[in-house]
Amino acid sequence: MTRRGSKNAAPSTARPKSRSLGLSLDPDDARSLYQQLFDEIVSRISTSAFPPGFRLPPTRQLSEELDVHRNTVVRAYRDLEEAGFVESTVGRGTFVKALPRASAASPRVTATPASTSEATPPSTPLPWASLLAERATSEPIRRIARRTKRPLFGPAIDLSRLQPGPDLLPTKLLTRCMEHVLDRSGGRALGYAPLEGAASLREQIAADLARQGVPASADDVIVTSGSQQALDVIVRALVDPGDTVLVQAPTYGGALQIFAAAGARVEGLPNDADGPLVPTAARGRPKLVYLMPNHANPTGGCISEQRRHELVAWARGRGVPIVEDDYAEDLELDALPTPPAMRALDGEVLYTSSFSKRLVPALRIGFVLAPEPLRPTLAALQHTSSLGTSLLLQLTLAELLERGYGRAHAARMREIYRSRRDALCDSLEKHLDGRVIVPRPARGVTAWLPLPGAIDLESLGETARREGVLVATGDLFAGARTDPEPDAHGVRLAYCFEPEDRLIEGARRFVKALDQLWPQSASKRGKQRNEGEGALV
Amino acid sequence: MTRRGSKNAAPSTARPKSRSLGLSLDPDDARSLYQQLFDEIVSRISTSAFPPGFRLPPTRQLSEELDVHRNTVVRAYRDLEEAGFVESTVGRGTFVKALPRASAASPRVTATPASTSEATPPSTPLPWASLLAERATSEPIRRIARRTKRPLFGPAIDLSRLQPGPDLLPTKLLTRCMEHVLDRSGGRALGYAPLEGAASLREQIAADLARQGVPASADDVIVTSGSQQALDVIVRALVDPGDTVLVQAPTYGGALQIFAAAGARVEGLPNDADGPLVPTAARGRPKLVYLMPNHANPTGGCISEQRRHELVAWARGRGVPIVEDDYAEDLELDALPTPPAMRALDGEVLYTSSFSKRLVPALRIGFVLAPEPLRPTLAALQHTSSLGTSLLLQLTLAELLERGYGRAHAARMREIYRSRRDALCDSLEKHLDGRVIVPRPARGVTAWLPLPGAIDLESLGETARREGVLVATGDLFAGARTDPEPDAHGVRLAYCFEPEDRLIEGARRFVKALDQLWPQSASKRGKQRNEGEGALV
């Protein structure tokens, strides 16, 4: 009675009603027919329209009903089985599998709350603030946590974001290379990466560097999760808590965070027109010198060739490693000569760079060139930090570079960044009207605007935000102890993320904010603002 | 004269010879026609067959010559321009661009080697060994660097590798989800990820955990580069150099490396049948307790529900955070009840897991569930370490979980791992012939074989390697100071990487190696080996 009366069981004698499955395929859909069939069936399994134990129609029958080649159905069924949604038994048919028993009957759900509440006092949290490690509470780390949460694509114009805008990312080229890698290597592209990185990528990186005059062999390269992890690993390898690190002042906030997390004492080097001054004996015995010789973040300065030689000679003589962070590698916007890389002057220099600014941040791939004796330690610490960077993304980037897509894309980026730089700087000059000289950077993706010392930088950032533009003020790059005080009073404006029209408008909004804080004209400013509102809006 | 005589300029009056471009498209190729055309042209640009300034034939003409729709050529040309290989000028045509001037005329290439060699002594390397930080030279870190370099797919049978074999990786499902993400979000999927991870992924992870009885909301989740980075970040947040960390002894080598890199003092907890003993006062005031309650690595032990309650109550009472590493989450192979997660007993427990063992290592995605007061610091330190995990991979995983592919795949993995476990353990039992009891793990992807203390583990690893099988011996998991000495003398055999036939053969080879070192039967062994050779080979 029960068996015969069951509504779920298909009557075995009558003609199967699989037409009522309601499946339909669309030949105009971008997905292939077998993919559509796969998706349709998975969707019905998810909603339990096809419950566990449900028998799918035989392939021949379904192919006739859907008017498709039988192979289409066979392939969809095979993929469904491979993916774990159905199981086939020869002679019996293809059945929907019972999905994870954990969904309903996980033994863990039967936790015993009674004894739990007796044994532990859930109402009293642990004293987390007092449990934090000393270095985790340092100012540069706290700064990240304090950072205003802002939506990635909000209405504000973002001149603070140091990444290519979404319109500049080579989605198609990346997709094509990734599909090729997955098609060629299958599961072999989806495991863990070798300790130092994928061999094919290390070769491409070395070739790419050679093209730019940075001597490197594939063996020199250790692949990392962006140049951020490269620096983190270098610091973990070389810096003990309390050790001194020398930096250009001001310098990249992310580097200051790494030094803080390592418990390092950070000393800033003052600059002259040639770059940071060669350290004097007063700097003690530093463990590391961190430099951005080609396009300093945030000021955009480029260290002269002469000063590079002096710094390298000093470091060699004192036995102090230099880290050369060339994050804006391959982003020379004007046909100006760039001095040789410090790594080209001395093979003991640790050279780091990244594919985030010139290619794709979501690759999360950077690298370090390191002298042979240091490599095993760097690779081991990189492994300790994260077990390496995604093998799939490494192989995809290698393919992209090997095909020449990387070079072509970088050339295109240089053109676009040049236009964007000019749009931003032209608009700034127009609105500033001579009050501040706007230096036009020859490299990279940011402009640096020095400001009168009387302007409070935190207030400026907040005022700009209210005017609808986000900027990176100089205080975000402070933290090194310097003597004398460096010229870090200014604002960094990035021209990589926003398109030209928004850069032009962003500059206008920024100057409007600046007007509100401009010194030595308090009374005049009041008038100007009223006039300005009319003129600028 | 020069102009007219230029060989590179196509004669403007004669019929263009673009047939001689030698392009040909194959309708049977898996790539679409426009992709083939794109690839063909890029390939000719790379080899300079189409030099800079070379004019491509007009789209109408090329489409006729190739007998394809004109839109095919238009699309290929547009993509070539977008990728930076050509530029089009209305009315003039489409020309190959001069690729990066850096390739030949990089100003950096003109480094001044003369002054370099004067200024610096390149022949004397820096004293790197003496420059290393103290923690970077600790034993667990050195162990990685010492590790024998072995090919990923060598002839040896690999029972040491804790990752799914390439045949088990859901390449098609992953490709489909990734294509969907790139198609839907384009460049927005290729930027940096939000500080705590992509919102859609955090939601899917929380839902996935809820299904397994681990209470979590999306807000609790911080996405990391595997559970390795999750632990690294936790330790950086909570452990100062010299602080004590308590672990199960023996424990995961990667965790010991993280503790070593942090300069922590590691104390091992001895075990009884219920799991690690509740720490006594002799353990001092630890800053962290690190546990793998459900499937300890390497021993496979599962902490009893009673002991979980006791450990949680002790930790709360002493104000010590617990880290619950559930790396083998969702890998219950038998229908045995699993005790509740420690995180389910106490919301202050830090819970970490990974998608590397049950899904795809190359995603490099793990996570930590953390109490609210700790989250900003963990997110900030994760940002400091690597600027986050690939947004593209995060969105792909979110899509994969949302479609139910993750659950279906995990169910299939459980079946396969169960069969592989049985194949390995059956073969071990057969060849060991009762000398060692082979515990059959109810969860995870590794079996633990306790061995007589007289067997030297390093020799065993080396002998096994010579016999063509790689294993993880217990010494790799030692490092915690323990009193009394824990029962860590054994070998871990992973059944996830190799297929069944190789697991069966691998067990045979391993026992053959073991026979050569088996104690208390030196003379008898000699004979056995001779007999054995015949029987086993």
Side-chain angles (χ1 to χ4, degrees):
Chain A
M1 173 81 185
T2 311
R3 284 186 186 177
R4 297 195 58 181
S6 164
K7 285 177 186 171
N8 284 331
S12 58
T13 49
R15 176 163 175 76
K17 294 183 181 175
S18 34
R19 280 192 194 283
S20 67
L21 291 185
L23 297 168
S24 69
L25 309 182
D26 178 2
D28 291 333
D29 195 295
R31 295 167 302 166
S32 65
L33 291 174
Y34 95 89
Q35 282 189 350
Q36 291 180 52
L37 184 56
F38 179 99
D39 290 348
E40 291 273 319
I41 294 176
V42 167
S43 146
R44 279 163 181 75
I45 293 175
S46 305
T47 59
S48 294
F50 293 178
F54 181 88
R55 182 180 170 193
L56 296 181
T59 54
R60 184 185 303 276
Q61 178 190 324
L62 188 57
S63 67
E64 282 168 10
E65 287 174 8
L66 295 171
D67 195 20
V68 295
H69 196 284
R70 191 175 163 196
N71 281 350
T72 302
V73 180
V74 169
R75 190 167 173 196
Y77 279 22
R78 194 196 56 207
D79 277 12
L80 285 165
E81 182 162 18
E82 251 185 59
F85 286 104
V86 302
E87 56 191 339
S88 293
T89 316
V90 176
R92 289 191 61 228
T94 300
F95 298 86
V96 173
K97 277 166 76 171
L99 265 190
R101 49 182 183 288
S103 62
S106 168
R108 284 205 198 156
V109 179
T110 63
T112 50
S115 69
T116 308
S117 54
E118 278 166 25
T120 59
S123 53
T124 323
L126 287 178
W128 290 109
S130 70
L131 289 171
L132 288 178
E134 192 185 331
R135 292 163 296 155
T137 59
S138 57
E139 167 54 21
I141 304 292
R142 283 179 183 275
R143 195 181 282 163
I144 308 174
R146 264 203 324 267
R147 211 166 62 166
T148 314
K149 295 208 176 170
R150 50 187 209 267
L152 184 54
F153 297 102
I157 293 173
D158 201 337
L159 307 184
S160 70
R161 212 171 272 278
L162 210 62
Q163 69 182 78
D167 54 323
L168 302 186
L169 294 168
T171 313
K172 282 182 210 157
L173 299 181
L174 191 78
T175 306
R176 198 170 300 174
C177 292
M178 195 172 290
E179 285 172 355
H180 177 80
V181 165
L182 284 166
D183 191 49
R184 182 190 58 197
S185 306
R188 292 190 175 210
L190 296 179
Y192 290 103
L195 206 52
E196 298 85 359
S200 58
L201 177 59
R202 297 166 75 203
E203 276 160 28
Q204 289 297 327
I205 288 174
D208 200 49
L209 288 170
R211 182 173 62 79
Q212 297 175 67
V214 180
S217 74
D219 285 343
D220 298 334
V221 179
I222 295 174
V223 177
T224 57
S225 295
S227 54
Q228 185 77 12
Q229 191 185 48
L231 182 60
D232 189 44
V233 164
I234 291 168
V235 169
R236 292 178 95 163
L238 295 172
V239 177
D240 279 306
D243 281 348
T244 297
V245 172
L246 300 183
V247 301
Q248 293 172 279
T251 196
Y252 170 49
L256 292 172
Q257 286 148 17
I258 287 171
F259 302 138
R265 172 191 157 102
V266 183
E267 299 256 354
L269 296 171
N271 299 271
D272 66 13
D274 283 326
L277 300 175
V278 173
T280 59
R283 296 292 169 190
R285 184 170 167 76
K287 279 301 292 287
L288 202 67
V289 184
Y290 171 71
L291 302 172
M292 292 175 143
N294 297 318
H295 183 76
N297 184 359
T299 61
C302 177
I303 304 178
S304 74
E305 179 165 357
Q306 177 61 30
R307 183 60 50 82
R308 292 177 192 222
H309 281 293
E310 292 164 6
L311 287 165
V312 164
W314 172 87
R316 266 303 185 97
R318 297 284 296 261
V320 181
I322 288 180
V323 177
E324 175 176 30
D325 181 346
D326 199 10
Y327 76 102
E329 181 201 332
D330 220 7
L331 290 178
E332 287 83 27
L333 305 186
D334 298 326
L336 292 176
T338 302
M342 297 182 78
R343 162 84 183 178
L345 303 182
D346 183 351
E348 299 285 281
V349 167
L350 297 160
Y351 177 97
T352 71
S353 188
S354 159
F355 291 91
S356 299
K357 310 298 175 254
R358 53 186 156 138
L359 208 53
V360 173
L363 286 171
R364 303 306 313 115
I365 296 180
F367 60 89
V368 51
L369 300 183
E372 194 279 330
L374 196 55
R375 280 177 226 150
T377 305
L378 293 180
L381 286 166
Q382 203 254 354
H383 186 78
T384 297
S385 300
S386 63
L387 302 188
T389 295
S390 169
L391 179 59
L392 173 62
L393 296 179
Q394 290 192 40
L395 296 177
T396 299
L397 176 56
E399 183 70 26
L400 208 143
L401 295 175
E402 192 183 341
R403 291 184 181 197
Y405 292 174
R407 281 171 64 192
H409 182 75
R412 182 171 160 257
M413 286 301 97
R414 281 193 290 271
E415 282 172 22
I416 294 174
Y417 286 154
R418 196 183 305 131
S419 299
R420 291 190 173 187
R421 173 199 63 185
D422 291 341
L424 175 73
C425 291
D426 289 349
S427 181
L428 281 172
E429 279 173 0
K430 174 182 157 196
H431 294 295
L432 283 166
D433 199 21
R435 275 176 295 175
V436 182
I437 289 170
V438 181
R440 198 157 295 217
R443 290 168 206 87
V445 293
T446 61
W448 173 255
L449 205 66
L451 293 174
I455 292 179
D456 179 68
L457 293 177
E458 276 196 42
S459 306
L460 177 61
E462 182 53 26
T463 308
R465 198 187 59 74
R466 280 202 308 270
E467 292 292 345
V469 61
L470 306 176
V471 300
T473 47
D475 51 316
L476 298 173
F477 308 91
R481 294 146 34 112
T482 48
D483 180 28
E485 194 68 24
D487 195 9
H489 208 78
V491 65
R492 189 195 72 186
L493 304 169
Y495 45 79
C496 46
F497 189 68
E498 299 279 7
E500 288 185 29
D501 56 338
R502 283 171 64 90
L503 290 171
I504 292 167
E505 168 64 10
R508 189 193 69 76
R509 294 184 189 176
F510 171 71
V511 175
K512 189 174 170 196
L514 195 59
D515 281 340
Q516 296 168 43
L517 301 167
W518 197 257
Q520 296 174 314
S521 55
S523 57
K524 192 179 154 205
R525 199 177 67 221
K527 265 196 290 181
Q528 272 190 335
R529 275 184 70 187
N530 290 336
E531 290 163 9
E533 292 282 335
L536 290 173
V537 171
Chain B
M1 174 76 184
T2 310
R3 283 187 188 176
R4 297 195 55 181
S6 165
K7 285 179 185 167
N8 286 331
S12 58
T13 49
R15 176 162 175 74
K17 294 184 182 172
S18 35
R19 279 192 194 283
S20 66
L21 292 185
L23 298 168
S24 69
L25 309 183
D26 177 1
D28 291 334
D29 195 295
R31 296 167 300 167
S32 65
L33 291 173
Y34 95 89
Q35 282 191 350
Q36 290 180 51
L37 184 55
F38 180 100
D39 290 347
E40 291 273 319
I41 294 175
V42 167
S43 144
R44 279 162 180 75
I45 293 174
S46 305
T47 58
S48 294
F50 294 179
F54 180 87
R55 183 178 168 195
L56 295 181
T59 54
R60 184 185 303 276
Q61 179 191 321
L62 188 56
S63 67
E64 283 167 10
E65 287 175 7
L66 294 173
D67 194 21
V68 295
H69 196 282
R70 192 175 164 197
N71 280 350
T72 301
V73 180
V74 169
R75 189 168 172 195
Y77 279 23
R78 194 195 58 205
D79 277 12
L80 284 165
E81 182 161 20
E82 252 187 56
F85 286 105
V86 303
E87 56 191 341
S88 292
T89 317
V90 176
R92 289 192 60 231
T94 301
F95 297 85
V96 173
K97 277 168 73 172
L99 264 191
R101 48 182 185 289
S103 61
S106 168
R108 283 203 197 158
V109 179
T110 64
T112 51
S115 70
T116 305
S117 55
E118 279 164 26
T120 58
S123 53
T124 321
L126 287 180
W128 290 108
S130 69
L131 290 170
L132 288 178
E134 192 186 328
R135 291 164 295 156
T137 59
S138 56
E139 167 53 24
I141 303 293
R142 283 180 184 275
R143 194 181 283 163
I144 307 175
R146 263 204 323 267
R147 212 166 60 167
T148 314
K149 294 207 178 173
R150 52 186 208 266
L152 185 53
F153 297 102
I157 293 173
D158 201 337
L159 307 184
S160 70
R161 213 171 272 279
L162 211 60
Q163 69 181 76
D167 54 322
L168 302 187
L169 294 166
T171 313
K172 282 182 208 156
L173 299 181
L174 191 80
T175 306
R176 199 171 296 173
C177 292
M178 195 172 288
E179 285 172 356
H180 177 80
V181 165
L182 284 165
D183 191 49
R184 182 190 59 197
S185 306
R188 291 189 176 211
L190 296 180
Y192 290 103
L195 206 51
E196 297 86 357
S200 59
L201 178 58
R202 297 166 75 203
E203 276 159 29
Q204 289 298 327
I205 288 174
D208 200 48
L209 288 169
R211 183 173 61 79
Q212 298 175 65
V214 181
S217 75
D219 285 344
D220 297 334
V221 178
I222 296 175
V223 178
T224 57
S225 295
S227 54
Q228 184 78 11
Q229 191 185 47
L231 181 60
D232 189 44
V233 164
I234 292 168
V235 168
R236 293 177 96 164
L238 296 172
V239 177
D240 279 308
D243 282 348
T244 297
V245 171
L246 300 183
V247 301
Q248 293 172 277
T251 197
Y252 170 49
L256 293 172
Q257 286 147 18
I258 287 171
F259 302 138
R265 172 191 158 101
V266 183
E267 299 256 353
L269 296 171
N271 298 274
D272 65 12
D274 282 327
L277 300 176
V278 173
T280 59
R283 296 293 167 190
R285 186 174 164 74
K287 280 300 293 287
L288 202 68
V289 183
Y290 172 71
L291 302 172
M292 293 175 142
N294 297 318
H295 183 77
N297 184 357
T299 60
C302 177
I303 306 178
S304 73
E305 179 166 357
Q306 177 61 31
R307 183 62 48 81
R308 290 176 193 224
H309 282 293
E310 291 164 6
L311 287 164
V312 164
W314 172 87
R316 266 305 185 97
R318 297 284 296 262
V320 182
I322 288 180
V323 177
E324 174 176 29
D325 181 344
D326 200 9
Y327 76 101
E329 182 201 332
D330 220 6
L331 290 178
E332 288 83 26
L333 305 187
D334 298 325
L336 293 176
T338 303
M342 297 182 78
R343 161 84 183 178
L345 303 183
D346 183 352
E348 300 285 281
V349 167
L350 297 160
Y351 176 97
T352 71
S353 188
S354 159
F355 290 92
S356 299
K357 310 299 175 256
R358 52 185 156 142
L359 209 52
V360 173
L363 285 170
R364 303 304 315 118
I365 296 181
F367 60 89
V368 51
L369 301 183
E372 195 279 331
L374 195 55
R375 279 178 225 151
T377 305
L378 293 181
L381 286 166
Q382 202 256 352
H383 187 79
T384 297
S385 300
S386 64
L387 302 188
T389 296
S390 169
L391 180 59
L392 173 61
L393 296 180
Q394 290 191 41
L395 296 177
T396 299
L397 176 57
E399 184 70 25
L400 207 142
L401 295 176
E402 193 183 341
R403 291 183 182 197
Y405 293 174
R407 281 171 64 193
H409 182 74
R412 182 172 158 257
M413 285 302 97
R414 281 193 290 271
E415 282 173 22
I416 293 174
Y417 286 155
R418 196 183 304 132
S419 299
R420 291 190 173 187
R421 174 200 63 186
D422 291 341
L424 175 72
C425 291
D426 288 349
S427 181
L428 282 172
E429 279 174 359
K430 174 182 157 196
H431 294 295
L432 284 167
D433 198 20
R435 275 175 297 174
V436 182
I437 290 170
V438 181
R440 198 158 293 217
R443 291 169 205 86
V445 293
T446 59
W448 173 256
L449 205 64
L451 293 174
I455 292 179
D456 180 68
L457 293 177
E458 278 198 40
S459 305
L460 177 62
E462 182 51 28
T463 307
R465 198 188 59 72
R466 280 202 309 269
E467 292 292 345
V469 60
L470 306 175
V471 300
T473 47
D475 51 316
L476 299 173
F477 307 91
R481 295 148 32 113
T482 47
D483 179 29
E485 196 66 26
D487 194 10
H489 207 79
V491 63
R492 190 195 70 186
L493 304 168
Y495 45 81
C496 46
F497 189 68
E498 299 280 7
E500 288 185 30
D501 56 338
R502 283 171 64 88
L503 290 171
I504 292 168
E505 168 65 11
R508 190 193 68 77
R509 293 184 190 176
F510 170 70
V511 176
K512 189 173 170 196
L514 194 59
D515 281 340
Q516 296 167 43
L517 300 167
W518 197 257
Q520 293 176 315
S521 55
S523 58
K524 193 178 155 203
R525 199 177 70 223
K527 263 196 290 180
Q528 271 192 335
R529 276 182 68 188
N530 289 335
E531 288 161 13
E533 293 279 337
L536 289 173
V537 171

